[in-house]
Amino acid sequence: MELLVYSSSSCIYCQRQRRFLTEKGISFEEKDIHENEVNFKEFKDFGGYGTPFTLVKANGNIVSKIVGFNPEKLLEKLGSK
C-alpha cells in the first residue's frame, strides 16, 4: 500500500496528519496544492475538495480516498489497527 497526501501548508489538519503518519512510521508522499499548479490539478481531477486529501493505492491503483484527517480510517485502510 502507498499513500499520496494532497495538503496545504496552512492547513492545521494536514499538519496533524503528517505528524500522525510520521509517528506511526507510515511512509507517504505529500503534494502541496497551493505551491504547485500540477498538484492542484491532480487534486481536483481525483475529486479533492478539502485537505488533507489522501489516496490509498495498491499496485498503482486507487483503492480508497479519504477527505480530512481521519486517523481511524487511515489505519483501517492500511490494515494496521
Side-chain angles (χ1 to χ4, degrees), residues 1-7 17-18 21-22 26-32 36 38-39 42 46 52-57:
M1 293 275 197
E2 59 184 290
L3 289 183
L4 180 58
V5 179
Y6 291 90
S7 65
Q17 180 165 306
R18 186 180 312 113
L21 293 172
T22 301
I26 299 169
S27 62
F28 61 98
E29 179 182 353
E30 186 171 13
K31 294 188 172 192
D32 190 308
N36 185 303
V38 173
N39 292 346
E42 287 176 8
F46 285 126
F53 179 64
T54 306
L55 302 179
V56 181
K57 298 172 94 178

Side-chain angles (χ1 to χ4, degrees), residues 2 4 6 9 19 22-23 26 29 31 35 38 44-45 51-52 57 62 64 66-67 72 78:
E2 59 184 290
L4 180 58
Y6 291 90
S9 57
R19 185 172 40 248
T22 301
E23 287 173 357
I26 299 169
E29 179 182 353
K31 294 188 172 192
E35 298 294 321
V38 173
K44 295 307 269 180
D45 289 347
T51 57
K57 298 172 94 178
I62 298 169
S64 184
I66 303 169
V67 178
E72 295 82 17
L78 293 171

Side-chain angles (χ1 to χ4, degrees), residues 7-20 30 34 51-52 68-69:
S7 65
S8 69
S9 57
S10 61
C11 168
I12 190 163
Y13 295 104
C14 298
Q15 295 167 14
R16 288 181 183 169
Q17 180 165 306
R18 186 180 312 113
R19 185 172 40 248
F20 173 79
E30 186 171 13
H34 290 140
T51 57
F69 174 45

